[in-house]
Amino acid sequence: MTTLPNGKPIDMEMLEVAMEDSNLGNTYYLNTQTGEVLFLSEYYDMDEQERLAEEIDGSNDYVRIERIPSSEAYQWMSDFVEEVVAPKDQRAAQKLSTALHGKGAFRRFKDTLYTTGEQWTQTWYDWRDQRLKEAMEAWLREVL
């Protein structure tokens, strides 16, 4: 369990959601005193948005959670193909590498991954989860 300097636990599940959320209408903040993650969405009614914005602005306890940049997520996919798949299965690596070219690479990569077999799908998610965990830990070290 990851904790704040004051010993309180950080909501790592919500931190993961925040760092992976690609919806730019959503914003997340870590409360550096409680470990809670505050979720703010443009889809909330205006009163709720204003209330949450005032809570954040009126306190030094919140730090905005940054998303994993798409360039970094793309690099994870590329590294996975090169480092994990290619040494064991050239055919699957070629398919995945081709999927990474051009617009829509994220969707094509996942679609192609599912056709390469359960082994590579599970291996990808385990590998990606490790990269995400490392990114979360690095971000926490930076902001705390």
Side-chain angles (χ1 to χ4, degrees):
M1 176 185 299
T2 304
T3 59
L4 295 168
N6 66 12
K8 293 196 178 176
I10 296 171
D11 186 344
M12 295 300 283
E13 285 184 29
M14 277 302 293
L15 180 60
E16 180 177 334
V17 167
M19 293 184 90
E20 287 194 301
D21 190 344
S22 62
N23 184 338
L24 298 179
N26 298 333
T27 310
Y28 299 82
Y29 296 86
L30 174 66
N31 184 312
T32 59
Q33 298 305 306
T34 67
E36 295 173 296
V37 173
L38 184 68
F39 171 63
L40 186 63
S41 176
E42 68 181 19
Y43 304 109
Y44 286 170
D45 67 54
M46 288 303 271
D47 291 339
E48 182 68 2
Q49 284 186 49
E50 287 177 20
R51 185 189 71 73
L52 291 171
E54 285 176 13
E55 181 180 337
I56 293 164
D57 291 341
S59 172
N60 292 326
D61 295 343
Y62 290 96
V63 60
R64 185 178 176 149
I65 300 170
E66 300 300 324
R67 292 173 174 82
I68 300 293
S70 60
S71 59
E72 187 172 345
Y74 179 88
Q75 190 61 52
W76 291 352
M77 294 184 298
S78 181
D79 291 348
F80 173 74
V81 173
E82 284 181 35
E83 297 170 16
V84 179
V85 181
K88 296 180 182 174
D89 187 341
Q90 274 297 319
R91 187 166 171 247
Q94 182 58 45
K95 285 181 178 182
L96 290 166
S97 184
T98 300
L100 289 173
H101 296 291
K103 187 175 177 154
F106 287 88
R107 170 56 45 208
R108 270 195 319 279
F109 177 82
K110 285 184 180 177
D111 290 346
T112 303
L113 185 65
Y114 292 124
T115 66
T116 61
E118 179 68 27
Q119 163 200 353
W120 292 121
T121 303
Q122 188 58 50
T123 303
W124 160 249
Y125 284 109
D126 292 344
W127 195 86
R128 182 193 93 8
D129 287 349
Q130 183 59 39
R131 303 287 97 49
L132 181 57
K133 181 181 179 192
E134 291 167 4
M136 290 167 51
E137 289 171 355
W139 182 81
L140 286 168
R141 281 191 303 274
E142 184 180 308
V143 300
L144 295 179

